PDB file of all heavy atoms in Angstrom:
ATOM      1  N   PRO Y  64      -2.632  12.392  10.168  1.00  0.00           N
ATOM      2  CA  PRO Y  64      -2.821  10.966  10.479  1.00  0.00           C
ATOM      3  C   PRO Y  64      -1.779  10.137   9.734  1.00  0.00           C
ATOM      4  O   PRO Y  64      -1.345  10.505   8.626  1.00  0.00           O
ATOM      5  CB  PRO Y  64      -4.236  10.687   9.955  1.00  0.00           C
ATOM      6  CG  PRO Y  64      -4.908  12.018   9.912  1.00  0.00           C
ATOM      7  CD  PRO Y  64      -3.829  13.007   9.575  1.00  0.00           C
ATOM      8  N   GLY Y  65      -1.365   9.025  10.329  1.00  0.00           N
ATOM      9  CA  GLY Y  65      -0.393   8.163   9.668  1.00  0.00           C
ATOM     10  C   GLY Y  65      -0.858   7.782   8.271  1.00  0.00           C
ATOM     11  O   GLY Y  65      -2.044   7.561   8.015  1.00  0.00           O
ATOM     12  N   LEU Y  66       0.083   7.702   7.343  1.00  0.00           N
ATOM     13  CA  LEU Y  66      -0.229   7.385   5.950  1.00  0.00           C
ATOM     14  C   LEU Y  66      -0.261   5.872   5.750  1.00  0.00           C
ATOM     15  O   LEU Y  66       0.508   5.139   6.378  1.00  0.00           O
ATOM     16  CB  LEU Y  66       0.803   8.026   5.026  1.00  0.00           C
ATOM     17  CG  LEU Y  66       1.001   9.537   5.208  1.00  0.00           C
ATOM     18  CD1 LEU Y  66       2.064  10.055   4.254  1.00  0.00           C
ATOM     19  CD2 LEU Y  66      -0.316  10.300   5.017  1.00  0.00           C
ATOM     20  N   ALA Y  67      -1.141   5.426   4.873  1.00  0.00           N
ATOM     21  CA  ALA Y  67      -1.298   3.993   4.590  1.00  0.00           C
ATOM     22  C   ALA Y  67      -0.868   3.711   3.161  1.00  0.00           C
ATOM     23  O   ALA Y  67      -1.452   4.258   2.212  1.00  0.00           O
ATOM     24  CB  ALA Y  67      -2.751   3.565   4.794  1.00  0.00           C
ATOM     25  N   ASN Y  68       0.139   2.880   3.009  1.00  0.00           N
ATOM     26  CA  ASN Y  68       0.587   2.441   1.689  1.00  0.00           C
ATOM     27  C   ASN Y  68      -0.202   1.176   1.351  1.00  0.00           C
ATOM     28  O   ASN Y  68       0.157   0.073   1.776  1.00  0.00           O
ATOM     29  CB  ASN Y  68       2.089   2.167   1.715  1.00  0.00           C
ATOM     30  CG  ASN Y  68       2.654   1.887   0.338  1.00  0.00           C
ATOM     31  OD1 ASN Y  68       1.901   1.742  -0.632  1.00  0.00           O
ATOM     32  ND2 ASN Y  68       3.958   1.802   0.233  1.00  0.00           N
ATOM     33  N   ALA Y  69      -1.277   1.339   0.600  1.00  0.00           N
ATOM     34  CA  ALA Y  69      -2.237   0.249   0.422  1.00  0.00           C
ATOM     35  C   ALA Y  69      -1.807  -0.791  -0.598  1.00  0.00           C
ATOM     36  O   ALA Y  69      -2.484  -1.820  -0.738  1.00  0.00           O
ATOM     37  CB  ALA Y  69      -3.605   0.816   0.033  1.00  0.00           C
ATOM     38  N   HIS Y  70      -0.678  -0.569  -1.296  1.00  0.00           N
ATOM     39  CA  HIS Y  70      -0.249  -1.579  -2.266  1.00  0.00           C
ATOM     40  C   HIS Y  70       1.266  -1.554  -2.391  1.00  0.00           C
ATOM     41  O   HIS Y  70       1.857  -0.599  -2.896  1.00  0.00           O
ATOM     42  CB  HIS Y  70      -0.879  -1.336  -3.634  1.00  0.00           C
ATOM     43  CG  HIS Y  70      -0.659  -2.471  -4.595  1.00  0.00           C
ATOM     44  ND1 HIS Y  70      -1.210  -3.715  -4.415  1.00  0.00           N
ATOM     45  CD2 HIS Y  70       0.058  -2.553  -5.743  1.00  0.00           C
ATOM     46  CE1 HIS Y  70      -0.861  -4.511  -5.410  1.00  0.00           C
ATOM     47  NE2 HIS Y  70      -0.080  -3.831  -6.220  1.00  0.00           N
ATOM     48  N   SER Y  71       1.894  -2.638  -1.934  1.00  0.00           N
ATOM     49  CA  SER Y  71       3.348  -2.754  -1.961  1.00  0.00           C
ATOM     50  C   SER Y  71       3.750  -4.139  -2.423  1.00  0.00           C
ATOM     51  O   SER Y  71       3.140  -5.137  -2.052  1.00  0.00           O
ATOM     52  CB  SER Y  71       3.913  -2.512  -0.551  1.00  0.00           C
ATOM     53  OG  SER Y  71       5.245  -2.994  -0.430  1.00  0.00           O
ATOM     54  N   HIS Y  72       4.817  -4.187  -3.230  1.00  0.00           N
ATOM     55  CA  HIS Y  72       5.582  -5.412  -3.480  1.00  0.00           C
ATOM     56  C   HIS Y  72       6.988  -5.087  -2.985  1.00  0.00           C
ATOM     57  O   HIS Y  72       7.765  -4.433  -3.686  1.00  0.00           O
ATOM     58  CB  HIS Y  72       5.617  -5.776  -4.959  1.00  0.00           C
ATOM     59  CG  HIS Y  72       4.270  -5.971  -5.587  1.00  0.00           C
ATOM     60  ND1 HIS Y  72       3.446  -7.023  -5.283  1.00  0.00           N
ATOM     61  CD2 HIS Y  72       3.604  -5.231  -6.514  1.00  0.00           C
ATOM     62  CE1 HIS Y  72       2.329  -6.939  -6.000  1.00  0.00           C
ATOM     63  NE2 HIS Y  72       2.403  -5.861  -6.749  1.00  0.00           N
ATOM     64  N   ALA Y  73       7.334  -5.517  -1.785  1.00  0.00           N
ATOM     65  CA  ALA Y  73       8.570  -5.048  -1.151  1.00  0.00           C
ATOM     66  C   ALA Y  73       9.799  -5.335  -2.006  1.00  0.00           C
ATOM     67  O   ALA Y  73      10.724  -4.512  -2.064  1.00  0.00           O
ATOM     68  CB  ALA Y  73       8.718  -5.684   0.228  1.00  0.00           C
ATOM     69  N   PHE Y  74       9.832  -6.483  -2.686  1.00  0.00           N
ATOM     70  CA  PHE Y  74      11.059  -6.824  -3.418  1.00  0.00           C
ATOM     71  C   PHE Y  74      11.257  -5.953  -4.646  1.00  0.00           C
ATOM     72  O   PHE Y  74      12.368  -5.837  -5.176  1.00  0.00           O
ATOM     73  CB  PHE Y  74      11.100  -8.315  -3.777  1.00  0.00           C
ATOM     74  CG  PHE Y  74      10.223  -8.752  -4.905  1.00  0.00           C
ATOM     75  CD1 PHE Y  74      10.706  -8.788  -6.209  1.00  0.00           C
ATOM     76  CD2 PHE Y  74       8.915  -9.166  -4.684  1.00  0.00           C
ATOM     77  CE1 PHE Y  74       9.908  -9.225  -7.259  1.00  0.00           C
ATOM     78  CE2 PHE Y  74       8.114  -9.613  -5.727  1.00  0.00           C
ATOM     79  CZ  PHE Y  74       8.604  -9.632  -7.020  1.00  0.00           C
ATOM     80  N   HIS Y  75      10.203  -5.280  -5.121  1.00  0.00           N
ATOM     81  CA  HIS Y  75      10.365  -4.374  -6.261  1.00  0.00           C
ATOM     82  C   HIS Y  75      11.286  -3.196  -5.921  1.00  0.00           C
ATOM     83  O   HIS Y  75      11.792  -2.529  -6.835  1.00  0.00           O
ATOM     84  CB  HIS Y  75       9.007  -3.832  -6.701  1.00  0.00           C
ATOM     85  CG  HIS Y  75       8.141  -4.845  -7.369  1.00  0.00           C
ATOM     86  ND1 HIS Y  75       6.972  -4.492  -8.038  1.00  0.00           N
ATOM     87  CD2 HIS Y  75       8.235  -6.195  -7.492  1.00  0.00           C
ATOM     88  CE1 HIS Y  75       6.387  -5.576  -8.518  1.00  0.00           C
ATOM     89  NE2 HIS Y  75       7.149  -6.625  -8.198  1.00  0.00           N
ATOM     90  N   ARG Y  76      11.493  -2.949  -4.617  1.00  0.00           N
ATOM     91  CA  ARG Y  76      12.408  -1.862  -4.244  1.00  0.00           C
ATOM     92  C   ARG Y  76      13.795  -2.093  -4.837  1.00  0.00           C
ATOM     93  O   ARG Y  76      14.547  -1.129  -5.092  1.00  0.00           O
ATOM     94  CB  ARG Y  76      12.471  -1.757  -2.713  1.00  0.00           C
ATOM     95  CG  ARG Y  76      13.421  -0.703  -2.170  1.00  0.00           C
ATOM     96  CD  ARG Y  76      13.042   0.690  -2.634  1.00  0.00           C
ATOM     97  NE  ARG Y  76      13.989   1.689  -2.128  1.00  0.00           N
ATOM     98  CZ  ARG Y  76      15.150   1.968  -2.698  1.00  0.00           C
ATOM     99  NH1 ARG Y  76      15.549   1.302  -3.789  1.00  0.00           N
ATOM    100  NH2 ARG Y  76      15.935   2.907  -2.187  1.00  0.00           N
ATOM    101  N   ALA Y  77      14.139  -3.347  -5.098  1.00  0.00           N
ATOM    102  CA  ALA Y  77      15.443  -3.661  -5.676  1.00  0.00           C
ATOM    103  C   ALA Y  77      15.549  -3.260  -7.146  1.00  0.00           C
ATOM    104  O   ALA Y  77      16.643  -3.291  -7.721  1.00  0.00           O
ATOM    105  CB  ALA Y  77      15.729  -5.160  -5.541  1.00  0.00           C
ATOM    106  N   LEU Y  78      14.431  -2.876  -7.766  1.00  0.00           N
ATOM    107  CA  LEU Y  78      14.435  -2.514  -9.178  1.00  0.00           C
ATOM    108  C   LEU Y  78      14.612  -1.020  -9.415  1.00  0.00           C
ATOM    109  O   LEU Y  78      14.812  -0.598 -10.554  1.00  0.00           O
ATOM    110  CB  LEU Y  78      13.118  -2.963  -9.832  1.00  0.00           C
ATOM    111  CG  LEU Y  78      12.843  -4.465  -9.820  1.00  0.00           C
ATOM    112  CD1 LEU Y  78      11.418  -4.744 -10.295  1.00  0.00           C
ATOM    113  CD2 LEU Y  78      13.846  -5.198 -10.695  1.00  0.00           C
ATOM    114  N   ARG Y  79      14.510  -0.225  -8.337  1.00  0.00           N
ATOM    115  CA  ARG Y  79      14.592   1.225  -8.535  1.00  0.00           C
ATOM    116  C   ARG Y  79      15.923   1.604  -9.185  1.00  0.00           C
ATOM    117  O   ARG Y  79      16.989   1.157  -8.778  1.00  0.00           O
ATOM    118  CB  ARG Y  79      14.433   1.963  -7.208  1.00  0.00           C
ATOM    119  CG  ARG Y  79      14.379   3.481  -7.389  1.00  0.00           C
ATOM    120  CD  ARG Y  79      14.358   4.214  -6.064  1.00  0.00           C
ATOM    121  NE  ARG Y  79      13.184   3.882  -5.276  1.00  0.00           N
ATOM    122  CZ  ARG Y  79      12.975   4.336  -4.036  1.00  0.00           C
ATOM    123  NH1 ARG Y  79      13.889   5.113  -3.456  1.00  0.00           N
ATOM    124  NH2 ARG Y  79      11.889   4.000  -3.374  1.00  0.00           N
ATOM    125  N   GLY Y  80      15.841   2.427 -10.230  1.00  0.00           N
ATOM    126  CA  GLY Y  80      17.035   2.879 -10.924  1.00  0.00           C
ATOM    127  C   GLY Y  80      17.572   1.900 -11.938  1.00  0.00           C
ATOM    128  O   GLY Y  80      18.417   2.263 -12.754  1.00  0.00           O
ATOM    129  N   ALA Y  81      17.080   0.655 -11.898  1.00  0.00           N
ATOM    130  CA  ALA Y  81      17.607  -0.375 -12.802  1.00  0.00           C
ATOM    131  C   ALA Y  81      16.702  -0.631 -13.989  1.00  0.00           C
ATOM    132  O   ALA Y  81      17.110  -1.319 -14.934  1.00  0.00           O
ATOM    133  CB  ALA Y  81      17.813  -1.682 -12.035  1.00  0.00           C
ATOM    134  N   THR Y  82      15.480  -0.096 -13.972  1.00  0.00           N
ATOM    135  CA  THR Y  82      14.516  -0.425 -15.029  1.00  0.00           C
ATOM    136  C   THR Y  82      13.886   0.817 -15.652  1.00  0.00           C
ATOM    137  O   THR Y  82      13.047   0.696 -16.542  1.00  0.00           O
ATOM    138  CB  THR Y  82      13.379  -1.296 -14.463  1.00  0.00           C
ATOM    139  OG1 THR Y  82      12.716  -0.567 -13.413  1.00  0.00           O
ATOM    140  CG2 THR Y  82      13.902  -2.607 -13.914  1.00  0.00           C
ATOM    141  N   GLN Y  83      14.285   2.001 -15.200  1.00  0.00           N
ATOM    142  CA  GLN Y  83      13.592   3.203 -15.668  1.00  0.00           C
ATOM    143  C   GLN Y  83      14.039   3.668 -17.054  1.00  0.00           C
ATOM    144  O   GLN Y  83      13.251   4.268 -17.789  1.00  0.00           O
ATOM    145  CB  GLN Y  83      13.788   4.346 -14.657  1.00  0.00           C
ATOM    146  CG  GLN Y  83      12.777   4.355 -13.525  1.00  0.00           C
ATOM    147  CD  GLN Y  83      12.974   3.208 -12.542  1.00  0.00           C
ATOM    148  OE1 GLN Y  83      14.097   2.802 -12.304  1.00  0.00           O
ATOM    149  NE2 GLN Y  83      11.905   2.683 -11.990  1.00  0.00           N
ATOM    150  N   ALA Y  84      15.277   3.423 -17.413  1.00  0.00           N
ATOM    151  CA  ALA Y  84      15.797   3.931 -18.681  1.00  0.00           C
ATOM    152  C   ALA Y  84      15.505   2.959 -19.824  1.00  0.00           C
ATOM    153  O   ALA Y  84      15.299   1.766 -19.614  1.00  0.00           O
ATOM    154  CB  ALA Y  84      17.293   4.177 -18.570  1.00  0.00           C
ATOM    155  N   GLY Y  85      15.506   3.484 -21.032  1.00  0.00           N
ATOM    156  CA  GLY Y  85      15.365   2.630 -22.209  1.00  0.00           C
ATOM    157  C   GLY Y  85      13.934   2.388 -22.614  1.00  0.00           C
ATOM    158  O   GLY Y  85      12.982   2.763 -21.924  1.00  0.00           O
ATOM    159  N   GLU Y  86      13.769   1.737 -23.750  1.00  0.00           N
ATOM    160  CA  GLU Y  86      12.449   1.450 -24.280  1.00  0.00           C
ATOM    161  C   GLU Y  86      11.863   0.203 -23.630  1.00  0.00           C
ATOM    162  O   GLU Y  86      12.564  -0.557 -22.954  1.00  0.00           O
ATOM    163  CB  GLU Y  86      12.534   1.255 -25.792  1.00  0.00           C
ATOM    164  CG  GLU Y  86      13.007   2.493 -26.547  1.00  0.00           C
ATOM    165  CD  GLU Y  86      13.087   2.259 -28.047  1.00  0.00           C
ATOM    166  OE1 GLU Y  86      12.851   1.103 -28.476  1.00  0.00           O
ATOM    167  OE2 GLU Y  86      13.359   3.224 -28.769  1.00  0.00           O
ATOM    168  N   GLY Y  87      10.574  -0.010 -23.855  1.00  0.00           N
ATOM    169  CA  GLY Y  87       9.948  -1.206 -23.322  1.00  0.00           C
ATOM    170  C   GLY Y  87       8.529  -0.940 -22.872  1.00  0.00           C
ATOM    171  O   GLY Y  87       7.992   0.162 -23.026  1.00  0.00           O
ATOM    172  N   THR Y  88       7.919  -1.963 -22.294  1.00  0.00           N
ATOM    173  CA  THR Y  88       6.542  -1.904 -21.817  1.00  0.00           C
ATOM    174  C   THR Y  88       6.491  -2.564 -20.442  1.00  0.00           C
ATOM    175  O   THR Y  88       7.503  -3.027 -19.912  1.00  0.00           O
ATOM    176  CB  THR Y  88       5.598  -2.668 -22.765  1.00  0.00           C
ATOM    177  OG1 THR Y  88       5.959  -4.067 -22.727  1.00  0.00           O
ATOM    178  CG2 THR Y  88       5.686  -2.140 -24.183  1.00  0.00           C
ATOM    179  N   PHE Y  89       5.295  -2.620 -19.891  1.00  0.00           N
ATOM    180  CA  PHE Y  89       5.087  -3.373 -18.652  1.00  0.00           C
ATOM    181  C   PHE Y  89       5.621  -4.790 -18.776  1.00  0.00           C
ATOM    182  O   PHE Y  89       6.236  -5.328 -17.838  1.00  0.00           O
ATOM    183  CB  PHE Y  89       3.590  -3.399 -18.338  1.00  0.00           C
ATOM    184  CG  PHE Y  89       3.212  -4.391 -17.271  1.00  0.00           C
ATOM    185  CD1 PHE Y  89       3.272  -4.043 -15.931  1.00  0.00           C
ATOM    186  CD2 PHE Y  89       2.789  -5.677 -17.603  1.00  0.00           C
ATOM    187  CE1 PHE Y  89       2.930  -4.958 -14.942  1.00  0.00           C
ATOM    188  CE2 PHE Y  89       2.445  -6.596 -16.630  1.00  0.00           C
ATOM    189  CZ  PHE Y  89       2.513  -6.231 -15.294  1.00  0.00           C
ATOM    190  N   TRP Y  90       5.433  -5.414 -19.925  1.00  0.00           N
ATOM    191  CA  TRP Y  90       5.760  -6.833 -20.080  1.00  0.00           C
ATOM    192  C   TRP Y  90       7.266  -7.035 -20.109  1.00  0.00           C
ATOM    193  O   TRP Y  90       7.769  -8.047 -19.595  1.00  0.00           O
ATOM    194  CB  TRP Y  90       5.097  -7.380 -21.338  1.00  0.00           C
ATOM    195  CG  TRP Y  90       3.620  -7.132 -21.307  1.00  0.00           C
ATOM    196  CD1 TRP Y  90       2.928  -6.179 -21.996  1.00  0.00           C
ATOM    197  CD2 TRP Y  90       2.648  -7.813 -20.500  1.00  0.00           C
ATOM    198  NE1 TRP Y  90       1.603  -6.233 -21.673  1.00  0.00           N
ATOM    199  CE2 TRP Y  90       1.390  -7.213 -20.766  1.00  0.00           C
ATOM    200  CE3 TRP Y  90       2.714  -8.861 -19.594  1.00  0.00           C
ATOM    201  CZ2 TRP Y  90       0.222  -7.640 -20.146  1.00  0.00           C
ATOM    202  CZ3 TRP Y  90       1.546  -9.291 -18.964  1.00  0.00           C
ATOM    203  CH2 TRP Y  90       0.318  -8.686 -19.252  1.00  0.00           C
ATOM    204  N   THR Y  91       8.044  -6.115 -20.695  1.00  0.00           N
ATOM    205  CA  THR Y  91       9.495  -6.243 -20.656  1.00  0.00           C
ATOM    206  C   THR Y  91      10.017  -5.940 -19.251  1.00  0.00           C
ATOM    207  O   THR Y  91      10.989  -6.562 -18.798  1.00  0.00           O
ATOM    208  CB  THR Y  91      10.166  -5.315 -21.682  1.00  0.00           C
ATOM    209  OG1 THR Y  91       9.706  -3.958 -21.478  1.00  0.00           O
ATOM    210  CG2 THR Y  91       9.821  -5.730 -23.101  1.00  0.00           C
ATOM    211  N   TRP Y  92       9.395  -4.975 -18.558  1.00  0.00           N
ATOM    212  CA  TRP Y  92       9.756  -4.715 -17.161  1.00  0.00           C
ATOM    213  C   TRP Y  92       9.505  -5.961 -16.313  1.00  0.00           C
ATOM    214  O   TRP Y  92      10.304  -6.290 -15.429  1.00  0.00           O
ATOM    215  CB  TRP Y  92       8.931  -3.539 -16.630  1.00  0.00           C
ATOM    216  CG  TRP Y  92       9.024  -3.363 -15.145  1.00  0.00           C
ATOM    217  CD1 TRP Y  92       9.960  -2.647 -14.468  1.00  0.00           C
ATOM    218  CD2 TRP Y  92       8.161  -3.937 -14.160  1.00  0.00           C
ATOM    219  NE1 TRP Y  92       9.731  -2.728 -13.111  1.00  0.00           N
ATOM    220  CE2 TRP Y  92       8.633  -3.521 -12.892  1.00  0.00           C
ATOM    221  CE3 TRP Y  92       7.037  -4.761 -14.212  1.00  0.00           C
ATOM    222  CZ2 TRP Y  92       8.021  -3.896 -11.702  1.00  0.00           C
ATOM    223  CZ3 TRP Y  92       6.426  -5.141 -13.031  1.00  0.00           C
ATOM    224  CH2 TRP Y  92       6.910  -4.709 -11.797  1.00  0.00           C
ATOM    225  N   ARG Y  93       8.417  -6.667 -16.596  1.00  0.00           N
ATOM    226  CA  ARG Y  93       8.083  -7.846 -15.808  1.00  0.00           C
ATOM    227  C   ARG Y  93       9.167  -8.906 -15.903  1.00  0.00           C
ATOM    228  O   ARG Y  93       9.453  -9.615 -14.917  1.00  0.00           O
ATOM    229  CB  ARG Y  93       6.738  -8.422 -16.269  1.00  0.00           C
ATOM    230  CG  ARG Y  93       6.205  -9.510 -15.345  1.00  0.00           C
ATOM    231  CD  ARG Y  93       4.875 -10.049 -15.813  1.00  0.00           C
ATOM    232  NE  ARG Y  93       4.994 -10.858 -17.006  1.00  0.00           N
ATOM    233  CZ  ARG Y  93       4.064 -11.748 -17.415  1.00  0.00           C
ATOM    234  NH1 ARG Y  93       2.954 -11.892 -16.710  1.00  0.00           N
ATOM    235  NH2 ARG Y  93       4.240 -12.443 -18.507  1.00  0.00           N
ATOM    236  N   ASP Y  94       9.800  -9.046 -17.049  1.00  0.00           N
ATOM    237  CA  ASP Y  94      10.874 -10.031 -17.195  1.00  0.00           C
ATOM    238  C   ASP Y  94      12.026  -9.731 -16.240  1.00  0.00           C
ATOM    239  O   ASP Y  94      12.607 -10.648 -15.643  1.00  0.00           O
ATOM    240  CB  ASP Y  94      11.385 -10.043 -18.642  1.00  0.00           C
ATOM    241  CG  ASP Y  94      10.357 -10.614 -19.621  1.00  0.00           C
ATOM    242  OD1 ASP Y  94       9.457 -11.349 -19.177  1.00  0.00           O
ATOM    243  OD2 ASP Y  94      10.460 -10.299 -20.825  1.00  0.00           O
ATOM    244  N   VAL Y  95      12.370  -8.459 -16.093  1.00  0.00           N
ATOM    245  CA  VAL Y  95      13.440  -8.075 -15.164  1.00  0.00           C
ATOM    246  C   VAL Y  95      12.990  -8.345 -13.729  1.00  0.00           C
ATOM    247  O   VAL Y  95      13.764  -8.849 -12.899  1.00  0.00           O
ATOM    248  CB  VAL Y  95      13.797  -6.586 -15.352  1.00  0.00           C
ATOM    249  CG1 VAL Y  95      14.906  -6.177 -14.368  1.00  0.00           C
ATOM    250  CG2 VAL Y  95      14.233  -6.319 -16.781  1.00  0.00           C
ATOM    251  N   MET Y  96      11.749  -8.028 -13.425  1.00  0.00           N
ATOM    252  CA  MET Y  96      11.218  -8.257 -12.081  1.00  0.00           C
ATOM    253  C   MET Y  96      11.276  -9.734 -11.723  1.00  0.00           C
ATOM    254  O   MET Y  96      11.642 -10.100 -10.599  1.00  0.00           O
ATOM    255  CB  MET Y  96       9.782  -7.744 -12.011  1.00  0.00           C
ATOM    256  CG  MET Y  96       9.104  -7.934 -10.668  1.00  0.00           C
ATOM    257  SD  MET Y  96       8.175  -9.494 -10.549  1.00  0.00           S
ATOM    258  CE  MET Y  96       6.775  -9.136 -11.595  1.00  0.00           C
TER     259      MET Y  96
END
Side-chain angles (χ1 to χ4, degrees):
L66 306 179
N68 188 352
H70 190 66
S71 163
H72 302 291
F74 76 92
H75 289 191
R76 178 61 181 83
L78 298 171
R79 185 186 298 176
T82 60
Q83 274 71 34
E86 297 180 356
T88 65
F89 167 86
W90 305 103
T91 54
W92 169 87
R93 190 179 71 161
D94 291 339
V95 179
M96 179 268 287

